[in-house]
Amino acid sequence: QVQLVESGGGLVQPGGSLRLSCAASGTIFSIYSMAWYRQPPGKQRDLVAIIAYGGSTNYADSVKGRFTISRDNAKNTVYLQMDSLKFDDTAVYYCSLLSRTQYWGQGTQVTVSS
């Protein structure tokens, strides 16, 4: 059974940084692409960043140059480094494993507030 557990969310001031982690278990992590999504209050869940099994990455325009997705296949973990955070980055962040079935973590809250 695939399990994804996110951590690292919290409260941060505008311009600050956070690093989210997502630990995967129950599958061969290294062969799948991984992604981070976010869902602001009252809005739909949108793709933030994706990293392929080979390491290539892609980002939503709203986070390009500020967020970095990475993975450590030895630790079955994907990361999202978030820098220069803005109020609009406030959301619940979810990691996702992109196999034939898309799996989701439980989400971690990121709040950007002064």
Side-chain angles (χ1 to χ4, degrees), residues 3-10 20-23 35-39 45 82 91-96 103-111:
Q3 287 192 317
L4 302 173
V5 179
E6 301 102 333
S7 61
L20 305 183
S21 300
C22 173
W36 285 96
Y37 288 73
R38 69 184 180 185
Q39 187 167 16
R45 189 177 301 186
M82 305 186 294
V92 178
Y93 284 72
Y94 299 89
C95 75
S96 180
Y103 294 94
W104 298 92
Q106 82 286 355
T108 186
Q109 177 70 47
V110 172
T111 302

Side-chain angles (χ1 to χ4, degrees), residues 5-12 17-23 34-39 48-49 63 66-72 76-83 85 89-96 106-112:
V5 179
E6 301 102 333
S7 61
L11 175 64
V12 63
S17 297
L18 281 176
R19 188 194 196 203
L20 305 183
S21 300
C22 173
M34 297 293 296
W36 285 96
Y37 288 73
R38 69 184 180 185
Q39 187 167 16
V48 174
V63 306
R66 300 188 299 120
F67 290 11
T68 303
I69 189 170
S70 61
R71 66 191 298 161
D72 185 338
N76 285 4
T77 301
V78 63
Y79 305 96
L80 186 68
Q81 177 67 40
M82 305 186 294
D83 299 318
L85 283 161
D89 295 319
T90 295
V92 178
Y93 284 72
Y94 299 89
C95 75
S96 180
Q106 82 286 355
T108 186
Q109 177 70 47
V110 172
T111 302
V112 183

Side-chain angles (χ1 to χ4, degrees), residues 41-71:
K43 297 184 179 181
Q44 66 182 24
R45 189 177 301 186
D46 289 326
L47 179 66
V48 174
I50 187 170
I51 184 165
Y53 66 91
S56 61
T57 59
N58 209 347
Y59 298 90
D61 287 343
S62 59
V63 306
K64 280 181 182 176
R66 300 188 299 120
F67 290 11
T68 303
I69 189 170
S70 61
R71 66 191 298 161

